[in-house]
Amino acid sequence: MTVRTELPFFDLSPDRNATLPPEARGMARDEVRLLVVEDGLTHARFRELPDRLRPGDLLVVNNSATMSSAVDATMDGEPVVLHFSTWLDDGRWVVEVRTTERTPYPSEGLSAGTVLRLPGATATLRAPWLPGGRRLWSADVTGDVLGLLAAHGRPITYAYVPQRWSAAYYTTVFGRVPGSAEMPSAARPFTERVVLDLITAGVALAPITLHTGVSSPEAGEPPSPERFAVAASTARLVNDTKAAGGRVVAVGTTVTRALETAADPAGLVHASRGWTDLVLGARRPARVVDGLITGWHAPGASHLDLLVAVAGEETVAAAYAAAVDTGYLWHEFGDSALLFGRGPLSGP
């Protein structure tokens, strides 16, 4: 199996989409499956994570909390859904227009000056946000956007989740700083029990902040710039862990992106904040992160390049082959993986 992240390298049948939260399937959050790749493949449950790490390892988590970023709107009298991705330094917002069927609105129907009417507010599209793209737009929005989201917003969902679930299902145990358009979902299976078991096992935890934008569903579309902050205390813990021979394990692609942005060419992490447009992959491998906890990403997703940057192409290929063969579930309500790099791979 060869990883080709610019094109789908595996087939994902619809029955592999996690259409319900684990809680609605009669499970606790930490009972989802966990595929561990470290000197072989091991199938486990997420609550066993403390047994798969070592005393002296450091887990770095994202403390960004999810906003209710989807709002019903009308455009020329047509009902649509507006996704609020992130706020810009000039006061505008990055937004995405979606149909009521939750698919991207046809780009030929969007232009500068298009007005969307929201409950008690309007959003006026100004320009495509990213060079060469027409899915994400900068927009002027009247009124208090955060108040609008609190009063009228709901979590962003896609067609593979047919029912609506309240904002409580899109939280993580680490989320404290509102700002993410979509849940940093790698942390969803963590529970207070798992966190306490990790601490008892001698595994340390440290936070970063990275506010996720809307996901990039188009094959080959690069990751969008995102706001992030790495505190001096976290940078110090990462550097001390590496110096002592411990491993730095990122909880999600968001954490990986933030840490690697804050790292210098020698792999030392420094306090840093602002915007990151870092794109990780085989040509820009990870300098800091030794392991990664992640959900399962769809064929063609840009996240797959980041997994390769941390764990290597062979590891990612073996993990995805095993997940496809043994019935793992995909997306934010699905199963998880713990990937370390580049050892000999064999196992059940």
Side-chain angles (χ1 to χ4, degrees):
M1 179 180 179
T2 300
V3 172
R4 296 177 298 156
T5 54
E6 74 279 5
L7 294 171
F9 64 91
F10 59 93
D11 293 322
L12 188 65
S13 61
D15 64 350
R16 294 303 179 84
N17 294 325
T19 60
L20 300 169
E23 302 94 308
R25 307 197 304 265
M27 304 165 58
R29 287 190 179 209
D30 57 15
E31 289 180 321
V32 298
R33 298 176 72 186
L34 176 69
L35 178 64
V36 182
V37 184
E38 181 188 13
D39 298 327
L41 302 174
T42 303
H43 299 281
R45 294 288 173 180
F46 196 88
R47 64 175 52 173
E48 299 175 57
L49 176 65
D51 299 328
R52 304 299 169 180
L53 299 174
R54 305 170 186 163
D57 285 346
L58 175 67
L59 272 183
V60 185
V61 304
N62 189 356
N63 66 11
S64 179
T66 315
M67 303 183 298
S68 295
S69 296
V71 181
D72 290 327
T74 58
M75 188 172 66
D76 295 328
E78 176 186 2
V80 295
V81 179
L82 192 64
H83 289 177
F84 286 81
S85 184
T86 192
W87 64 98
L88 299 176
D89 296 335
D90 64 4
R92 293 179 176 178
W93 280 77
V94 176
V95 298
E96 179 190 25
V97 183
R98 288 247 161 183
T99 70
T100 55
E101 288 76 34
R102 296 183 284 183
T103 59
Y105 195 87
S107 60
E108 61 271 17
L110 304 175
S111 60
T114 297
V115 176
L116 294 99
R117 303 197 178 281
L118 304 153
T122 61
T124 304
L125 304 185
R126 292 306 181 194
W129 187 42
L130 300 177
R134 291 183 62 83
R135 185 176 66 90
L136 300 174
W137 287 72
S138 64
D140 291 316
V141 185
T142 62
D144 174 14
V145 173
L146 296 182
L148 170 71
L149 299 183
H152 301 284
R154 60 180 180 273
I156 289 175
T157 58
Y158 297 104
Y160 55 80
V161 178
Q163 296 172 263
R164 289 184 182 176
W165 299 91
S166 74
Y169 288 92
Y170 294 86
T171 63
T172 74
V173 71
F174 305 115
R176 295 293 185 275
V177 183
S180 280
E182 297 183 17
M183 175 176 54
S185 56
R188 192 182 193 279
F190 281 86
T191 58
E192 291 183 3
R193 170 176 54 188
V194 170
V195 172
L196 290 173
D197 287 346
L198 286 164
I199 295 170
T200 302
V203 177
L205 289 89
I208 60 88
T209 304
L210 186 140
H211 295 310
T212 69
V214 297
S215 59
S216 299
E218 320 303 336
E221 187 176 37
S224 299
E226 293 170 313
R227 290 181 178 274
F228 82 103
V230 176
S233 56
T234 292
R236 184 170 57 251
L237 280 170
V238 169
N239 295 333
D240 289 349
T241 297
K242 301 284 282 189
R247 299 175 299 180
V248 174
V249 179
V251 179
T253 58
T254 60
V255 172
T256 304
R257 195 182 198 194
L259 286 179
E260 296 295 334
T261 299
D264 63 25
L268 285 176
V269 175
H270 304 272
S272 185
R273 65 186 306 115
W275 289 89
T276 175
D277 59 2
L278 178 64
V279 177
L280 293 161
R283 295 182 180 179
R284 171 41 171 104
R287 298 166 177 165
V288 177
V289 174
D290 302 299
L292 174 68
I293 294 171
T294 179
W296 298 97
H297 302 291
S302 61
H303 301 80
L304 297 168
D305 289 305
L306 188 147
L307 303 188
V308 170
V310 173
E313 192 166 305
E314 181 186 0
T315 295
V316 175
Y320 272 77
V324 169
D325 289 345
T326 57
Y328 279 69
L329 295 179
W330 257 246
H331 301 302
E332 65 268 25
F333 293 146
D335 295 314
S336 296
L338 170 60
L339 306 178
F340 291 100
R342 303 179 183 85
L345 298 176
S346 61

